[in-house]
Amino acid sequence: MTPHRSPAQDRSRRRRATLLDAAVHLLTHGGFAAVTHRAVAHHARLPLAATTYYFASRDQLIAEAFAQLVDHELATTRAWITRHGPHHLLDQVAAADHTRQLALWELYVHAGRDPALQAIARRWSDGCLRILADTLRLPPDDPRLRLLYTTVSTLWLEHLVERRPLDEARTLLTLAIEHAMMGCR
């Protein structure tokens, strides 16, 4: 995604980053509809014209906010899995900021209709698969990883949206990990 204007000065880079942080904040607390040029400028405490100076459109602003959210979540997930192991991945989901997780999934659903967001959604999925491959020491193209990732995603959504208890989900995750590891020993 090419920025509308590429800031060359530190002050410009900081202003653009402030606008992007404001967009991420609005996404996490109000969802897709909350991100308007006016709301982003207000939250960033910058003039309204700054949003169109640094971002060609609302779509670009949302796409870059989504990308920032994805990068943050991938880094958080990698750190958690490295520290606690894959069996405790659902504990990370339970401990995560509920509104931030909802924003991530809301944007993921919007990607079904927006090609610019699709590439970012794919980056998220592929990043999660790489984390699982590294953690379980499986080849990145192993279909068991995709099955495990799908299981984790479904359990994550069930917990996030339906508030299902984690005990059953932990059991299912353990079964999915054991299945993924069959033949690796």
Side-chain angles (χ1 to χ4, degrees):
M1 177 126 326
T2 305
H4 182 55
R5 297 209 197 307
S6 183
Q9 298 176 338
D10 285 340
R11 179 176 179 255
S12 291
R13 282 192 291 273
R14 283 192 309 272
R15 288 183 91 178
R16 189 176 196 287
T18 299
L19 289 165
L20 199 51
D21 289 343
V24 169
H25 175 84
L26 290 167
L27 276 172
T28 60
H29 293 338
F32 195 81
V35 181
T36 65
H37 283 284
R38 186 172 306 283
V40 169
H42 177 75
H43 187 76
R45 294 189 173 124
L46 290 171
L48 178 59
T51 60
T52 55
Y53 181 80
Y54 293 108
F55 300 95
S57 65
R58 177 178 180 260
D59 290 343
Q60 182 193 5
L61 181 58
I62 287 172
E64 289 191 37
F66 185 27
Q68 184 170 308
L69 192 58
V70 163
D71 291 344
H72 177 270
E73 292 306 314
L74 286 172
T76 300
T77 300
R78 183 173 289 283
W80 180 277
I81 254 183
T82 299
R83 201 172 310 119
H84 303 284
H87 287 84
H88 298 283
L89 190 54
L90 293 176
D91 295 322
Q92 184 231 351
V93 167
D97 178 354
H98 183 78
T99 58
R100 192 172 186 89
Q101 301 299 315
L102 282 173
L104 190 62
W105 282 103
E106 182 179 2
L107 285 165
Y108 192 78
V109 169
H110 278 280
R113 292 194 171 105
D114 184 338
L117 295 179
Q118 286 171 2
I120 300 164
R122 173 70 60 106
R123 193 166 86 209
W124 176 27
S125 297
D126 291 349
C128 289
L129 287 167
R130 272 191 304 282
I131 291 168
L132 288 172
D134 293 347
T135 302
L136 299 175
R137 293 180 175 83
L138 290 171
D141 59 346
D142 191 313
R144 292 173 295 176
L145 288 172
R146 184 73 183 232
L147 181 59
L148 177 58
Y149 170 69
T150 302
T151 301
V152 169
S153 294
T154 302
L155 294 172
W156 181 3
L157 268 174
E158 284 181 351
H159 175 72
L160 188 65
V161 175
E162 301 170 16
R163 298 291 197 187
R164 289 187 185 238
L166 285 179
D167 290 340
E168 180 181 318
R170 283 186 190 102
T171 301
L172 293 170
L173 177 61
T174 299
L175 287 171
I177 292 170
E178 287 172 2
H179 177 76
M181 298 307 296
M182 284 172 28
C184 292
R185 297 178 184 137

